[in-house]
Amino acid sequence: MNSDNRVVILLDLDGFYTQVERIRLNLDDKVPIGILQRTAIIATSHSARKMNVPKMGPLKKLKKICPSLVVVKTDLRRYREASREILNCLVGYVTEWNPAVVVERASIDEMYFDVSCLIMDEIRKSFETVVDQRRFLLEHGLPEISVEALEKERMMLLRGDESSLSSHIRLLAGSSIAEKLRMYLKETLDYTSSCGIFNNKLFAKAVADHRKPFNQTLLMPEQVTPFLDSIKSLRKIPGIGGVFFQLLEDCHITSFAKIRSLGHEKLEELVGDRAGWLWNVMLGHDHSPVVEKGPPKSIGVSRSFAGNPITTHSRFKSEMWPLLTELCDRINLDYALYNRCPSTLALRLRIQRTGRIVSRSTGIPPSNGDLRASAIEDVVFKLFLENFGQSSFSIGIFSMCTLNFIEAGRRAITDFFQKPAEEPVAKVVYEPVIQKPQTMLSPPLVSMRKVVKEPEPKGKKCDKCGKIIEFEKWEEHKDWHFAFEIQRRLDSESRKQRKKRSYTEISNMSKNSRLNRKAPKKKKQTTLKNWFHYDQ
């Protein structure tokens, strides 16, 4: 389908964390709620913001502003479960209309709906409702559609000419669908939400929060330029991150009016490859499809210690345990949902003073939905000691994640990272010993003799890792050591060749050197496959 004929809805839950707590605690909508994480409020309800309470800040400060603020400790597990419940509810609702509707989970409180396949049915069912809604939307500054144009649209609809319908009538029908989605969610699970409606994902997300809470915003194609000009900072556009925004600032590009005045060629000279994407955004184009996402590719936990960095081994261990517990709970839940388990664990540490990031990974044994923190505690601490065993350190951010998931029951190379099997212990048995009688009439004497039986070997001990390997797996184990040694050499070579530049060095570069520098040549990455490649 042509991207201009699509209808995309972004549904954004209003103050999601606070709504979950409001429903759980059975509180009134007008009660101000704050979500507490350690000593700071990280989210407040819309009722609290009406009382001039900021969205986040120190607990003591916010309590002074609003003494009646209900403070609830954060519980991410509860919020993830609520997010899955909402997604399943809405997916079931729209697929009853048409199974071809595509739903993409964008975040814990956002989801995209490509409802293009529902537009014709919606127009046929409630064409007058759409017209009435158009009159209502005109009061909010939308462009006027003449009666003649509407009659023309009606005749096209009667002829079944779907391709000739204008984007206006499509988007108006999409707005009607968005309102039904919001009302169904409110009636079913008591959650309020806001929607953005356009023919692509980027602008549907950009306009979704303009009329919060519990409302929706419809953007017409001719309104794209005024909307972009009304944005005060380019940072609010989805897809413009911190590094790209800093580059635009260094080039004195602070608005879309400036981008239009520069032209495409000059823009490409200044920002490079991202110029094409930025120019398409200025024109209101975004061709990224709404795609139904599968299970997450990684599961991670993180915590910041910027105000009180970790400087001792004992402190690292104490802070590691709650994160490990949360990580294991999420892995076990993922196993129950998708019947899979991770094979790799990665540790990522950020040094407080220098900003340097240290990242290490290792294999972990597969679990069967019962992984505990005690099973991988030593693995994480060993990774930590490889970098900070003897040297001093100051860790500002501590994060862990698991990845490289395998289907439950399948064997992976990480099986060799399991703890070596316990060596069989010799068994002590007692055997009866019959002594000959001294005379023919006396009975035989029976006594018990202690005998130590050596166990039969079940495998062979590896000289490299010290593990007892079963005989039938011995050749496979030797192959693994060979591959592991090659990968270790490749990793050491790549570390020597890697050249890192800190963000501060890049930001301090002069504008001329930034613009005139040549892009570094991409070096061919050496991987394990190169070692096993043979020319035919």
Side-chain angles (χ1 to χ4, degrees):
M1 177 180 286
N2 188 350
S3 60
D4 292 338
N5 292 334
R6 291 191 304 166
V7 177
V8 178
I9 300 171
L10 176 80
L11 186 140
D12 185 2
L13 294 160
D14 302 325
F16 177 54
Y17 289 3
T18 59
Q19 281 205 82
V20 174
E21 301 299 345
R22 174 185 63 80
I23 295 172
R24 183 178 69 89
L25 300 174
N26 196 21
L27 299 175
D28 189 80
D29 294 346
K30 298 180 181 179
V31 175
I33 304 173
I35 305 299
L36 179 68
Q37 189 176 56
R38 295 194 291 274
T39 60
I41 297 293
I42 61 170
T44 55
S45 61
H46 286 277
S47 56
R49 295 174 204 174
K50 291 179 181 179
M51 300 178 183
N52 298 323
V53 179
K55 190 174 182 179
M56 58 183 64
L59 175 61
K60 293 182 179 180
K61 179 181 177 181
L62 270 60
K63 267 291 190 180
K64 287 182 180 179
I65 299 174
C66 180
S68 61
L69 183 69
V70 177
V71 179
V72 185
K73 287 187 178 180
T74 181
D75 188 344
L76 291 177
R77 182 192 303 177
R78 190 184 301 143
Y79 306 147
R80 294 189 190 102
E81 291 175 356
S83 178
R84 282 193 295 271
E85 182 184 17
I86 294 170
L87 180 64
N88 293 335
C89 172
L90 292 177
V91 168
Y93 179 61
V94 296
T95 51
E96 284 183 0
W97 293 356
N98 192 330
V101 177
V102 184
V103 183
E104 177 183 340
R105 184 176 183 265
S107 66
I108 195 171
D109 62 344
E110 292 180 339
M111 52 201 77
Y112 290 103
F113 296 83
D114 188 339
V115 296
S116 307
C117 60
L118 300 178
I119 295 303
M120 291 302 294
D121 291 338
E122 181 66 21
I123 295 174
R124 290 191 182 99
K125 288 179 185 176
S126 53
F127 189 79
E128 293 180 357
T129 305
V130 173
V131 174
D132 294 338
Q133 186 178 2
R134 178 193 66 84
R135 296 194 186 102
F136 171 78
L137 294 172
L138 287 176
E139 299 175 1
H140 294 76
L142 287 172
E144 184 178 357
I145 303 175
S146 64
V147 178
E148 292 79 6
L150 279 175
E151 186 61 28
K152 185 178 179 181
E153 298 280 357
R154 185 179 181 84
M155 295 304 296
M156 291 178 182
L157 181 64
L158 294 174
R159 293 198 303 267
D161 189 3
E162 181 181 352
S163 60
S164 301
L165 287 174
S166 68
S167 58
H168 293 84
I169 199 70
R170 291 177 181 276
L171 291 172
L172 285 170
S175 181
S176 176
I177 295 172
E179 185 174 4
K180 292 180 179 179
L181 279 174
R182 294 191 302 109
M183 295 306 172
Y184 178 78
L185 182 61
K186 177 63 176 174
E187 294 171 1
T188 308
L189 300 178
D190 199 23
Y191 286 96
T192 65
S193 58
S194 299
C195 288
I197 306 100
F198 195 60
N199 57 29
N200 60 55
K201 292 169 62 176
L202 189 145
F203 283 92
K205 179 176 176 61
V207 302
D209 59 349
H210 271 232
R211 300 177 64 194
K212 277 193 171 188
F214 201 39
N215 217 319
Q216 61 189 55
T217 304
L218 171 63
L219 186 69
M220 290 295 184
E222 54 268 28
Q223 291 181 306
V224 169
T225 299
F227 169 72
L228 292 176
D229 290 341
S230 67
I231 295 177
K232 296 180 180 180
S233 174
L234 296 178
R235 188 71 173 84
K236 293 185 177 181
I237 296 295
I240 298 182
V243 176
F244 187 39
F245 177 73
Q246 186 62 43
L247 175 61
L248 294 174
E249 288 282 324
D250 294 343
C251 298
H252 304 290
I253 301 175
T254 58
S255 65
F256 281 95
K258 178 68 174 178
I259 294 173
R260 279 193 294 272
S261 64
L262 289 174
H264 187 276
E265 294 183 359
K266 183 64 176 178
L267 184 65
E268 190 172 8
E269 293 178 7
L270 294 174
V271 300
D273 297 337
R274 298 295 301 275
W277 176 84
L278 193 59
W279 191 261
N280 283 332
V281 172
M282 187 202 68
L283 299 175
H285 299 160
D286 174 34
H287 304 293
S288 57
V290 178
V291 181
E292 183 179 352
K293 293 184 178 179
K297 295 182 179 180
S298 64
I299 299 175
V301 290
S302 179
R303 185 173 173 183
S304 174
F305 302 92
N308 185 19
I310 301 174
T311 56
T312 62
H313 292 109
S314 59
R315 169 93 187 282
F316 179 86
K317 266 200 165 184
S318 64
E319 299 291 355
M320 174 183 67
W321 185 258
L323 288 178
L324 268 181
T325 304
E326 180 185 350
L327 182 63
C328 291
D329 289 343
R330 294 184 61 187
I331 292 173
N332 294 335
L333 177 61
D334 185 85
Y335 180 90
L337 292 174
Y338 305 113
N339 192 33
R340 61 176 192 163
C341 54
S343 61
T344 305
L345 184 141
L347 175 67
R348 183 182 174 93
L349 306 171
R350 182 168 183 173
I351 309 304
Q352 175 73 7
R353 297 179 181 177
T354 61
R356 184 172 66 94
I357 296 176
V358 179
S359 182
R360 292 288 182 270
S361 62
T362 186
I364 56 174
S367 62
N368 296 320
D370 56 354
L371 183 64
R372 298 184 178 181
S374 56
I376 55 176
E377 178 185 12
D378 294 337
V379 176
V380 177
F381 194 64
K382 184 179 179 181
L383 282 179
F384 172 72
L385 292 179
E386 288 180 1
N387 295 278
F388 305 105
Q390 303 295 333
S391 60
S392 59
F393 55 88
S394 177
I395 298 173
I397 297 179
F398 174 25
S399 60
M400 294 178 290
C401 75
T402 54
L403 57 156
N404 296 335
F405 288 85
I406 58 173
E407 185 180 348
R410 289 181 57 189
R411 294 194 62 213
I413 196 171
T414 52
D415 295 341
F416 297 100
F417 287 96
Q418 297 184 23
K419 293 183 179 180
E422 295 182 1
E423 297 185 7
V425 181
K427 293 183 178 180
V428 178
V429 297
Y430 292 90
E431 294 180 350
V433 179
I434 302 176
Q435 299 177 1
K436 293 182 179 181
Q438 296 179 356
T439 63
M440 295 293 294
L441 298 176
S442 60
L445 300 175
V446 180
S447 61
M448 302 300 290
R449 181 177 62 184
K450 184 179 179 181
V451 180
V452 178
K453 285 191 173 182
E454 295 294 334
E456 297 181 0
K458 295 183 179 180
K460 186 177 179 181
K461 187 174 183 179
C462 178
D463 297 333
K464 295 184 178 180
C465 62
K467 298 179 183 179
I468 304 298
I469 307 300
E470 297 177 10
F471 291 115
E472 59 269 18
K473 300 178 182 178
W474 178 249
E475 293 298 327
E476 186 180 3
H477 185 76
K478 289 198 303 182
D479 293 341
W480 179 83
H481 273 297
F482 175 71
F484 184 80
E485 182 63 23
I486 293 176
Q487 188 63 57
R488 188 185 64 79
R489 293 178 184 175
L490 292 175
D491 291 342
S492 62
E493 290 177 5
S494 62
R495 289 193 196 101
K496 293 177 183 179
Q497 296 174 0
R498 191 182 302 146
K499 295 181 180 179
K500 292 184 178 180
R501 281 183 169 177
S502 64
Y503 177 74
T504 27
E505 292 176 346
I506 296 178
S507 60
N508 291 334
M509 291 172 62
S510 63
K511 175 183 175 182
N512 293 332
S513 61
R514 182 193 293 272
L515 300 179
N516 296 331
R517 74 179 188 275
K518 295 182 179 179
K521 295 182 178 179
K522 292 185 179 179
K523 296 182 179 179
K524 184 178 180 181
Q525 186 178 5
T526 306
T527 63
L528 191 60
K529 295 181 180 179
N530 301 120
W531 290 79
F532 296 99
H533 175 73
Y534 299 95
D535 295 330
Q536 301 296 330

